[in-house]
Structure formats: C-alpha cells, structure tokens
Amino acid sequence: MSDKTTELAKILADVREKTGVDVRFSPHGGEETCFALDYCGEKTEAYLDGVGEAAQRSARLVAYLVSNADLKQLLPDKEEHLKNILLGEGGSWYVYRFMTKYNLPDTPCFALDIYTDGRLAETVAHMENCLADSRDMVIAMDDSRCAVVRFSEEGQPAAEFAQFLSQSLYEETGVKASVGVGCEVKSFAEIAVSYHQAATAVRMSGIFHGKGEVHSYREYLLVKMLEDVPESRLREYTGQFRIENAEEVLADEDMITTAEEFLENSLNISETSRNLYMHRNTLMYRLDKIERITGLNIRKFSDAVTFRVITILYKLLK
C-alpha cells in the first residue's frame, strides 16, 4: 500500500468516525455505490453500501471531505455544528454535512427560541424529555436561551406544540419562559430563517408586551416590516399620522392596554370588558377619548388598523 493510500485510509477512518459513513476501496457485491475520491491529484475508486439518493448524498459528502482534508474542514461536534447552522453561519455544504451525518429527513421543520431568566440547564433537560422524535433537537444558544428544532407532524401546528412545551415546562419545573415560534420551512437547509423569526418574535414580544408565553413570528410580521423601514421614512410616516397629537393616549399605559385588548378581541366590546374586568360604560368612555384625541374611531376596522400602525411606529421610534 502506497503512502498516499495509507493517508487516504486514515482520512476515511476519520470520516467514518465523524459521519458514520463506511467507505472501502474494493466492491463487496450487492447494492453498493461506486464513486471517485480525488486526493493529492490522484483519483481512487471507492465504494459504500446502498444505492439511491441517500447513498449518492453520502458519497458526495465523503468526496468533499477527502478533497478538503488538507484544509482540515472536517465536522465539528454536533452542538457547535447545530448552533452555527441556526445562526446562519456556514454555507449549504455545512448544513448538508450535518444532515448527512445525523440522517435528518429532507422534510418541513420549524424552530423555537425559548428565553428564560434562569435555570437554563433544567429547561434544556425538560425540552429533551419532551421531544419524542429522535430527529428533533434542542441546544443551548447562550446563558439565557435555548433553541428547539422540530420536524413537523401532520395535524399539529407549530404554535400548539410551543404551547405544550411552555405549559409542561411551567407545570413540571416551575420555570416560566417566553417562546418564539418561527414559520415552517420546507427543509432543514432553511432552518436558520425559521430560528431568526423565532428569536425576532421573542424580542418583539418584549417591546410590545405580548400577552402570554408563546409568540408567533406571524403576529409581528407587520412590526418587522416597519422595523426594516429606514428611520427617516418612519419619521415621515409619524408626521403624516400626526402622532404628536396622540401622545396623551400612546403614553398612557391604561389607555393603550384597553385599546390593544379591544383590537385583540376583534373589536368586540362585550368580550373586551369581560377580559379587562371593566364596566362597559368605562370601556366606551375610553374608546370615545381615543377618538377625541386621535380622530380615530377604533370601533371601525380601517381606523383600528391605522391606530395599530401608529402604536407600532411610536414604540419603534421610542
């Protein structure tokens, strides 16, 4: 065996340890895939068990790792690898290598961002116990938050699964957490997008005092769209809406709470008064006051939408 073949064998042993893909230099017969390895300018035939797309994917991964072995671009440990993927670091090959090593399905999935002000290790341990599917993953992102990757199950919406995790965490450990829910993506290759959305939902819920513990990115899509607008343009909008005239309402916590509860309850006066434990006449008085100061009758859908935009602009600029 030549020196190069010996070195290649060592590299393949390292690849097998890190990816679980077993490659050999001679055929065994049966269902196997033959492919070429390019190492130090020489091509060598190699074989691995299995046929089809999964085997071809493994072959491409091994070929890539071998050709870049001199650059020491072999896989990091699972936690570091997953964390980097969620943060959007590394390219498509970086994600592809992770999927291949841990045999992840190419199916829809979503990410959750779970923020807690303490007992993170206990939170992570509880999440791991709740993940029945071995493909689902949880990882600590920093000292106060962890991420969950969930491969979607038909019939269980992401928000419902997040609510289950939040409730079981509090009931079994006493830990209260804020859970952000990212949108479902078509493949794990896009999971960084979903995690960014989940983290944005948690951040926005803090700014806008979102109700409850579970916050969907979809709830804050309008907020995110406005946040992405340059500040100079936002200030133009505030001038058009004459927000300075509404300061009395926007700076009054009781008035804002009343208005937001009214909007949350689909402009239903009876439902809002029940939820706020407020007499109907008191609620009507506050709605009238908002109309008198801002010129907006938020009992009307169009004015309610305008008022919602104004409150977002006010908080973003603050």
Side-chain angles (χ1 to χ4, degrees):
M1 183 180 290
S2 68
D3 290 341
K4 285 186 179 179
T5 305
T6 301
E7 291 175 4
L8 181 55
K10 290 180 179 179
I11 292 171
L12 291 176
D14 191 24
V15 168
R16 180 173 62 251
E17 180 183 345
K18 289 180 166 62
T19 68
V21 179
D22 190 9
V23 177
R24 55 186 179 274
F25 295 125
S26 59
H28 283 178
E31 291 192 334
E32 59 186 7
T33 296
C34 176
F35 61 103
L37 296 176
D38 188 350
Y39 179 65
C40 295
E42 293 184 5
K43 291 190 180 296
T44 304
E45 278 194 350
Y47 302 83
L48 56 78
D49 289 333
V51 294
E53 177 56 32
Q56 291 290 340
R57 188 166 62 185
S58 296
R60 291 194 296 268
L61 172 62
V62 173
Y64 175 81
L65 293 176
V66 168
S67 65
N68 290 280
D70 58 324
L71 301 179
K72 298 182 179 178
Q73 292 185 357
L74 296 180
L75 303 179
D77 62 60
K78 183 176 183 178
E79 290 192 355
E80 180 187 354
H81 203 162
L82 176 58
K83 183 176 180 180
N84 290 339
I85 289 171
L86 292 173
L87 294 176
E89 299 174 2
S92 56
W93 264 107
Y94 196 74
V95 178
Y96 174 77
R97 288 186 290 174
F98 187 87
M99 293 179 66
T100 301
K101 178 177 180 180
Y102 298 105
N103 195 30
L104 299 184
D106 193 20
T107 57
C109 55
F110 60 86
L112 306 178
D113 183 50
I114 302 173
Y115 175 81
T116 175
D117 56 4
R119 300 166 65 185
L120 183 65
E122 192 171 351
T123 299
V124 170
H126 179 78
M127 296 301 153
E128 289 175 339
N129 290 335
C130 289
L131 299 179
D133 192 323
S134 60
R135 302 170 303 177
D136 297 339
M137 295 167 284
V138 58
I139 181 175
M141 299 299 288
D142 57 32
D143 293 338
S144 59
R145 67 199 322 126
C146 64
V148 170
V149 175
R150 170 78 165 175
F151 288 90
S152 305
E153 287 186 1
E154 189 174 345
Q156 185 179 39
E160 181 181 303
F161 177 70
Q163 189 65 52
F164 157 72
L165 289 182
S166 173
Q167 184 173 341
S168 65
L169 177 65
Y170 180 67
E171 290 177 352
E172 297 185 29
T173 69
V175 175
K176 294 195 72 172
S178 182
V179 183
V181 185
C183 296
E184 182 180 277
V185 292
K186 293 185 295 184
S187 167
F188 181 79
E190 304 171 28
I191 196 64
V193 174
S194 183
Y195 179 69
H196 176 72
Q197 293 172 344
T200 296
V202 172
R203 178 171 62 85
M204 291 297 183
S205 70
I207 297 174
F208 291 90
H209 308 292
K211 293 175 60 178
E213 285 72 48
V214 175
H215 312 282
S216 170
Y217 178 75
R218 296 182 187 277
E219 298 172 33
Y220 296 101
L221 187 56
L222 175 59
V223 178
K224 189 67 177 72
M225 291 170 63
L226 289 173
E227 185 183 49
D228 290 341
V229 173
E231 185 175 334
S232 59
R233 182 59 60 85
L234 289 181
R235 295 198 179 279
E236 283 183 34
Y237 294 154
T238 62
Q240 294 167 8
F241 283 127
R242 296 166 58 196
I243 287 182
E244 65 276 5
N245 296 341
E247 182 83 21
E248 182 180 347
V249 171
L250 299 174
D252 187 322
E253 187 174 339
D254 288 338
M255 294 294 288
I256 285 296
T257 299
T258 299
E260 291 186 345
E261 185 68 31
F262 182 62
L263 299 182
E264 186 70 24
N265 287 290
S266 304
L267 315 186
N268 186 302
I269 289 176
S270 298
E271 188 71 19
T272 303
S273 61
R274 278 197 299 271
N275 289 347
L276 291 175
Y277 302 100
M278 180 183 294
H279 194 279
R280 183 185 179 92
N281 290 343
T282 303
L283 174 59
M284 296 294 290
Y285 169 79
R286 291 188 177 181
L287 297 180
D288 288 340
K289 184 176 180 180
I290 290 173
E291 182 177 6
R292 186 172 67 253
I293 294 172
T294 67
L296 297 171
N297 178 8
I298 63 173
R299 300 174 187 84
K300 293 170 52 182
F301 177 76
S302 58
D303 281 3
V305 171
T306 301
F307 183 81
R308 176 62 176 156
V309 172
I310 288 175
T311 59
I312 293 172
L313 290 174
Y314 179 78
K315 290 182 179 181
L316 287 178
L317 291 173
K318 284 291 184 181

